[in-house]
């Protein structure tokens, strides 16, 4: 409720003055809270190009978005590790996974994995809604991103290659 109101008020203000940096910042901040990351990134880019100095609040907001994306990437990789491990250890595959050979987009299986993570209470508090923007964002990454796609099988070594030893994603 409140964040949508902030966005609505910022948009009204921007109709009068499209360069109102305070309104753009407030809208960017509200969009982060609503997991509308692409919208907030667009506003941050505009703010950074319009400001004469580097504003700490804008930089902090940009870092928050980056941290949330890093978590979403790790969530995808933890899913891919789990599917790979199940396949290697048991040879059994769920028909909804990419290892079945019949599933081109295993979003249903991925959604079940995220639900399990939510039940185990291992997701951060801001990732609180399977039907919300966080799940939409992570699903879009999982469908389209070259590295983080769940459309293709990945070996553990390929996934770990992107992380330092202390920064590897954990399986859930």
């Amino acid at each position: 409720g409140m964040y949508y109101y902030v966005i609505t008020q910022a948009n009204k203000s921007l109709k009068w003055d499209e360069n109102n940096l305070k309104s753009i910042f407030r809208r960017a901040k509200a969009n982060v809270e609503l997991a509308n990351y692409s919208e907030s990134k667009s506003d941050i880019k505009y703010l950074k190009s319009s400001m004469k100095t580097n504003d700490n609040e804008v930089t902090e907001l940009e870092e928050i978005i980056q941290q949330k994306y890093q978590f979403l990437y790790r969530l995808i990789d933890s899913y891919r590790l789990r599917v790979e491990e199940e396949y290697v250890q048991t040879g059994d595959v769920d028909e909804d996974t990419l290892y079945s050979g019949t599933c081109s987009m295993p979003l249903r299986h991925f959604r079940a994995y995220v639900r399990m993570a939510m039940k185990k209470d291992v997701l951060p508090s801001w990732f609180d809604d399977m039907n919300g923007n966080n799940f939409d964002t992570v699903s879009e990454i999982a469908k389209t991103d070259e590295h983080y796609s769940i459309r293709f099988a990945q070996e553990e070594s390929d996934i770990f290659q992107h992380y330092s030893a202390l920064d590897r994603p954990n399986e859930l």
Side-chain angles (χ1 to χ4, degrees):
M2 178 181 74
Y3 298 115
Y4 292 108
Y5 176 77
V6 170
I7 291 169
T8 300
Q9 293 305 310
N11 288 338
K12 285 180 182 178
S13 171
L14 290 167
K15 284 182 181 177
W16 292 99
D17 178 6
E18 64 185 28
N19 298 313
N20 184 325
L21 299 182
K22 186 181 255 186
S23 292
I24 294 170
F25 177 76
R26 287 179 178 161
R27 183 175 66 187
K29 197 169 182 178
N31 273 319
V32 167
E33 295 300 325
L34 294 171
N36 297 327
Y37 303 123
S38 59
E39 290 89 345
S40 58
K41 285 170 94 174
S42 176
D43 281 343
I44 288 170
K45 183 178 179 180
Y46 180 82
L47 288 167
K48 288 179 89 170
S49 70
S50 299
M51 300 173 80
K52 296 186 182 8
T53 62
N54 191 7
D55 187 278
N56 288 340
E57 286 183 298
V58 173
T59 302
E60 287 175 21
L61 196 55
E62 193 172 38
E63 288 172 3
I64 290 168
I65 294 169
Q66 185 60 30
Q67 289 170 357
K68 289 187 178 194
Y69 267 102
Q70 289 302 318
F71 174 79
L72 298 176
Y73 296 149
R74 293 170 65 84
L75 179 62
I76 292 167
D77 278 342
S78 69
Y79 166 76
R80 295 187 317 166
L81 285 169
R82 180 168 186 142
V83 172
E84 169 73 8
E85 183 177 297
E86 286 176 4
Y87 177 70
V88 168
Q89 289 188 356
T90 67
D92 293 334
V93 294
D94 188 305
E95 68 181 34
D96 285 342
T97 69
L98 53 101
Y99 285 93
S100 69
T102 60
C103 184
S104 64
M105 182 47 65
L107 278 179
R108 185 168 28 157
H109 192 258
F110 180 65
R111 182 180 286 271
Y113 178 78
V114 174
R115 275 196 190 103
M116 183 222 22
M118 290 176 78
K119 286 180 184 173
K120 288 186 174 188
D121 201 27
V122 295
L123 299 180
S125 60
W126 55 264
F127 195 106
D128 61 355
D129 185 3
M130 283 295 293
N131 298 314
N133 292 333
N134 279 303
F135 189 78
D136 292 345
T137 300
V138 76
S139 295
E140 190 61 29
I141 294 167
K143 290 189 302 189
T144 62
D145 190 273
E146 187 175 311
H147 172 72
Y148 295 101
S149 175
I150 60 173
R151 295 176 59 211
F152 309 105
Q154 292 283 323
E155 292 187 15
E156 181 178 301
S157 60
D158 294 333
I159 294 171
F160 283 160
Q161 187 175 349
H162 289 271
Y163 298 94
S164 69
L166 298 174
D167 193 35
R168 292 184 176 165
N170 297 326
E171 288 186 54
L172 303 175

